[in-house]
Amino acid sequence: MITSTGENAATTAEYKATTVEKDNSVLGKDDFMALLLVQLQNQDPTEPTDTATILTQTSQLASLESAENTNNSLEGLSTTLGASQEFSTIAAIGKMADLGGDVISHDEGTISTFEIYFSDDIEQGSVNITDNNGNVVQTIDIPTASAGVHKFNWDGKDSAGNIANSGVYSVTANYINSDQNSLSTRLGVYPIESIKFDNGKSLAKVGSNYVPIESISEIY
């Protein structure tokens, strides 16, 4: 049963409209017009303000109004463009994102976890972990699996069972699909599954993580 508390989103304090205070340190077009009218009303009848002065002040008022309208238009355009750029990233859903590298940073004595995307079903294959000299440090067998993003754990040891040094290691994979074709893939390339907006930033879901759009080096 749903009970009513007598409050709703329109009456609670956090949703009530706040009062916007006017900045009295800046003269707007309405203030300028008011000053002009006061000046005309209180001028000396024996020495009225000459026409040239009135035209000059009127021209200044028109310029002020034009500048204010231009600023308002630019602010509105900026807001519209910002929203448009955010939502334009939605078009990236379903495309491939390249994060610009195939390496992991490994700390000695720890387990490194990473994800690799396979575009085809896997009959058999292996993941190769290579040091920065191009030497294969460890090979991880890939079990039969369907296409998609798969997670792997490296125990941090080389093929001889020795603990690998801390450093940067490259991760690639070679596999055979159900049609017996040899394929390869690498760390850092994933399909973009969704786009999330967070505090004005666009985040793309690649694998199990969300990354900023600007951190993606290529979308194709």
Side-chain angles (χ1 to χ4, degrees):
M1 178 178 69
I2 300 176
T3 60
S4 173
T5 63
E7 294 182 347
N8 54 48
T11 59
T12 51
E14 61 266 31
Y15 290 97
K16 289 182 179 178
T18 57
T19 301
V20 179
E21 296 183 0
K22 180 181 178 181
D23 184 1
N24 293 319
S25 65
V26 179
L27 289 178
K29 61 181 181 179
D30 293 335
D31 300 314
F32 197 93
M33 175 61 78
L35 289 174
L36 179 59
L37 291 176
V38 170
Q39 179 185 350
L40 293 175
Q41 291 171 354
N42 294 278
Q43 65 182 328
D44 187 348
T46 61
E47 294 182 5
T49 305
D50 62 88
T51 304
T53 301
I54 295 176
L55 289 176
T56 299
Q57 293 176 337
T58 304
S59 176
Q60 291 173 344
L61 175 61
S63 298
L64 179 61
E65 181 175 10
S66 176
E68 186 174 320
N69 291 337
T70 299
N71 288 337
N72 291 337
S73 297
L74 289 175
E75 288 176 1
L77 179 61
S78 177
T79 300
T80 301
L81 287 176
S84 176
Q85 289 175 349
E86 276 191 359
F87 285 101
S88 66
T89 58
I90 295 176
I93 296 175
K95 295 183 178 181
M96 296 298 297
D98 189 336
L99 301 184
D102 63 355
V103 298
I104 58 172
S105 179
H106 175 70
D107 293 326
E108 184 176 331
T110 65
I111 295 175
S112 291
T113 300
F114 52 85
E115 295 179 327
I116 301 178
Y117 170 69
F118 297 85
S119 60
D120 285 49
D121 292 342
I122 306 166
E123 283 293 320
Q124 62 181 28
S126 61
V127 174
N128 297 316
I129 299 173
T130 309
D131 63 21
N132 55 11
N133 293 318
N135 301 312
V136 177
V137 175
Q138 182 61 278
T139 299
I140 302 174
D141 292 333
I142 306 174
T144 301
S146 58
V149 177
H150 295 279
K151 181 179 291 186
F152 297 90
N153 293 314
W154 175 36
D155 61 7
K157 297 179 180 179
D158 61 20
S159 56
N162 301 312
I163 296 177
N165 296 326
S166 297
V168 174
Y169 293 84
S170 177
V171 180
T172 59
N174 298 305
Y175 66 106
I176 297 174
N177 66 7
S178 56
D179 295 326
Q180 299 304 303
N181 295 318
S182 296
L183 302 172
S184 62
T185 185
R186 64 175 176 82
L187 183 78
V189 178
Y190 311 93
I192 297 176
E193 299 179 22
S194 64
I195 298 292
K196 180 172 70 174
F197 304 108
D198 184 17
N199 293 325
K201 293 185 178 181
S202 299
L203 305 175
K205 186 180 182 184
V206 290
S208 60
N209 300 307
Y210 280 95
V211 301
I213 283 290
E214 57 267 24
S215 69
I216 299 175
S217 62
E218 183 180 6
I219 297 176
Y220 57 92

